[in-house]
Amino acid sequence: MSKEYKDDDEKIREDLTPKTWNEIRSNDSWAIFKIMSEFVNGFESMARIGPCVSIFGSARTKGDHKYYLLAEKIAEKISKAGYGVITGGGPGIMEAGNKGAAKGMSPSVGLNIDLPFEQHFNQYIDSDKNLNFDYFFVRKVMFVKYSQGFVVMPGGFGTLDEMFEAITLIQTKKIAKFPIILVGTEFWCGLIDWIKNVLIEKYFNASPEDMNLIKIVDTEDEVLEVIDTFYKKYNLSPNF
């Protein structure tokens, strides 16, 4: 478990307090074994499950919100088509993803993270597919390594982090060119316009071709069509 602090000031003071070599060696060196154990457990567990489609989105989305209901429909459709579903394992959109997947025939996986707020396991994850992490970077490796595609629902900083991580790894050819599907035109259009008009056209900090890595859709049928089209192109089939 991560250490809990009374407030931000306490954490800042501890981080800035000079430490002896023995303290550094004791704390940092032994952390390597905790990190290693999370990788080993994650790899062994996910290898038995196999690749899935990841669904990202906000933990704050309520159960009666249109994007919660849409995420549930998307996950159900994906699962019934034979694709496993991975979420962050928590509430909100993550819960909707696991809930929808539970109605299908494919595995429903949760990769949870130990946080001081918002995050807790949802009840719709398969009991033997519930993984917990202390380290964000280990958890993100599991998402990327075992994802056949990325469905990105509206979310906050965490969702953006996961989305841009996937885009960057595909752009730099560190992972295969799996589909990245943004759901909700009204939510994503401002960001996409900024990428096109500012990031690419004004500052040349990305290539116009990079926009081809992203698909924007609004329905569960469109999501499944993008994924199925990708698999047919490469003569692949779902794992389940």
Side-chain angles (χ1 to χ4, degrees), residues 33-74:
F33 294 99
K34 169 61 176 169
I35 293 167
M36 187 185 303
S37 71
E38 289 200 357
F39 273 120
V40 171
N41 182 56
F43 287 150
E44 289 186 347
S45 299
M46 292 304 298
R48 289 193 295 269
I49 298 167
C52 302
V53 173
S54 286
I55 298 179
F56 301 137
S58 176
R60 305 185 186 195
T61 305
K62 302 301 182 184
D64 59 351
H65 194 280
K66 66 176 183 179
Y67 284 126
Y68 181 105
L69 300 175
L70 180 55
E72 184 179 343
K73 291 178 182 177
I74 289 170

Side-chain angles (χ1 to χ4, degrees), residues 87 89-90 98 108-110 112 121-127 129-130:
T87 79
N98 292 123
S108 177
V109 184
N112 212 302
F121 279 123
N122 67 67
Q123 62 182 312
Y124 300 103
I125 305 167
D126 293 343
S127 59
K129 299 175 178 63
N130 219 346

Side-chain angles (χ1 to χ4, degrees), residues 89-232:
I93 294 295
M94 295 174 281
E95 178 184 283
N98 292 123
K99 183 178 180 182
K103 299 177 181 178
M105 60 183 182
S106 302
S108 177
V109 184
L111 306 182
N112 212 302
I113 185 75
D114 182 33
L115 296 176
F117 59 91
E118 288 183 357
Q119 190 77 3
H120 57 79
F121 279 123
N122 67 67
Q123 62 182 312
Y124 300 103
I125 305 167
D126 293 343
S127 59
D128 61 337
K129 299 175 178 63
N130 219 346
L131 305 182
N132 198 50
F133 299 89
D134 280 334
Y135 298 96
F136 265 114
F137 64 90
V138 179
R139 180 181 182 239
K140 286 203 291 185
V141 168
M142 300 305 146
F143 271 122
V144 171
K145 182 173 177 60
Y146 293 99
S147 290
Q148 300 169 314
F150 304 92
V151 176
V152 190
M153 303 295 298
F157 290 130
T159 301
L160 293 174
D161 176 47
E162 291 159 341
M163 178 187 75
F164 281 116
E165 173 90 1
I167 292 173
T168 300
L169 291 172
I170 292 174
Q171 179 202 45
T172 55
K173 303 187 187 304
K174 293 297 183 181
I175 63 172
K177 190 179 178 181
F178 293 118
I180 299 175
I181 308 163
L182 309 188
V183 181
T185 303
E186 65 175 6
F187 181 87
W188 294 108
C189 64
L191 175 62
I192 296 303
D193 286 345
W194 178 82
I195 292 173
K196 288 179 179 177
N197 299 328
V198 179
L199 196 66
I200 294 176
E201 294 182 7
K202 184 174 181 178
Y203 288 97
F204 310 105
N205 287 334
S207 301
E209 294 77 19
D210 291 334
M211 295 305 301
N212 296 330
L213 301 176
I214 303 169
K215 301 287 186 183
I216 304 178
V217 304
D218 288 297
T219 68
E220 63 271 25
D221 291 334
E222 290 175 299
V223 170
L224 186 59
E225 181 181 3
V226 172
I227 296 172
D228 280 343
T229 298
F230 170 81
Y231 273 81
K232 290 175 183 176

